[in-house]
Amino acid sequence: MSFGHESIEKNSALLVLLVILVVAVGGLVEIVPLYFQRSTTEPVAGLKPYTAVQLAGRDIYVREGCYNCHSQMIRPFRAETERYGHYSVAGEFVYDRPFQWGSKRTGPDLARVGGRYSDEWHRIHLDNPRDLVPESNMPAYPWLARSPADAGDIEAKLKVLRVLGHPYTDEDVAGARKALAGKTEQDALIAYLQVLGTSLKAR
């Protein structure tokens, strides 16, 4: 029996197996070298892991689906860097699991939103975006100001992230619950937004 193109096309199981093999090898060739490239595995100078409050805010950001309308990745094109700032680099996202890249922009990119607006601006915007941006189609999130930030599993999250390589100390873990005491979900989300992109700005 000859093992040629025609015989592979007629045998669907063999075709599927070979396609999976080719995709797996191609994927490994593309992905594995990145783990040995310092620019993709080492944090940029000044980058710190999220504090307990910022981490809780990031979880709220993901829970509420903010990533569906806001990307966090500025591409190296003049139109984007003039509007949003320095293009995104891999070292900024070393402590993001999962990272919030993407290209969907129903709303503006948030990669460099940290420090651009005051906390009060964010509070008004989250309560009702149209109070600040009349043409906005973003939904309002008024309940965040009334909901206490969940500190129930924050210590466990920090411990898991420490195992994954985030430089949290025992003091960070021990003080996590206290840091969230009295904070609302809105406070946590604003703390997260205010840190986005600031490490590269500082450079």
Side-chain angles (χ1 to χ4, degrees):
M1 176 181 165
S2 64
F3 188 73
H5 194 300
E6 187 177 345
S7 61
I8 293 172
E9 284 186 344
K10 287 181 177 178
N11 187 338
S12 58
L14 179 60
L15 180 62
V16 168
L17 181 67
L18 291 175
V19 167
I20 291 171
L21 180 66
V22 168
V23 170
V25 170
L28 288 172
V29 168
E30 289 284 330
I31 295 168
V32 170
L34 296 176
Y35 284 98
F36 301 99
Q37 224 174 16
R38 293 182 64 183
S39 64
T40 62
T41 58
E42 289 192 3
V44 295
L47 182 70
K48 296 178 181 174
Y50 296 120
T51 65
V53 177
Q54 292 163 354
L55 189 62
R58 186 177 187 282
D59 290 343
I60 294 162
Y61 180 94
V62 172
R63 182 194 74 197
E64 297 297 337
C66 302
Y67 58 86
N68 287 315
C69 296
H70 296 282
S71 61
Q72 286 185 30
M73 182 180 69
I74 302 166
R75 291 165 287 201
F77 304 137
R78 182 176 176 182
E80 296 205 11
T81 56
E82 285 188 358
R83 179 177 181 187
Y84 298 116
H86 194 286
Y87 60 85
S88 299
V89 299
E92 292 181 86
F93 305 96
V94 171
Y95 301 132
D96 278 79
R97 294 175 188 273
F99 53 77
Q100 301 299 309
W101 296 349
S103 58
K104 176 67 172 154
R105 287 187 186 155
T106 302
D109 186 272
L110 299 180
R112 303 261 177 263
V113 76
R116 184 172 288 179
Y117 306 103
S118 67
D119 287 358
E120 188 57 29
W121 187 95
H122 282 293
R123 289 184 201 290
I124 296 168
H125 189 248
L126 289 167
D127 286 339
N128 184 19
R130 277 147 298 285
D131 287 345
L132 295 171
V133 186
E135 67 276 11
S136 175
N137 61 359
M138 173 176 156
Y141 295 89
W143 64 87
L144 296 179
R146 301 187 296 268
S147 304
D150 180 17
D153 60 352
I154 190 65
E155 293 166 341
K157 285 179 183 175
L158 291 179
K159 287 177 182 175
V160 168
L161 289 172
R162 184 163 61 179
V163 170
L164 294 172
H166 296 218
Y168 289 117
T169 63
D170 290 336
E171 292 76 25
D172 293 332
V173 175
R177 195 179 295 266
K178 185 177 179 182
L180 279 166
K183 296 278 195 295
T184 65
E185 290 189 335
Q186 187 182 74
D187 294 330
L189 180 55
I190 290 171
Y192 170 66
L193 293 172
Q194 290 289 39
V195 78
L196 291 180
T198 55
S199 59
L200 201 61
K201 278 184 186 175
R203 291 172 66 200

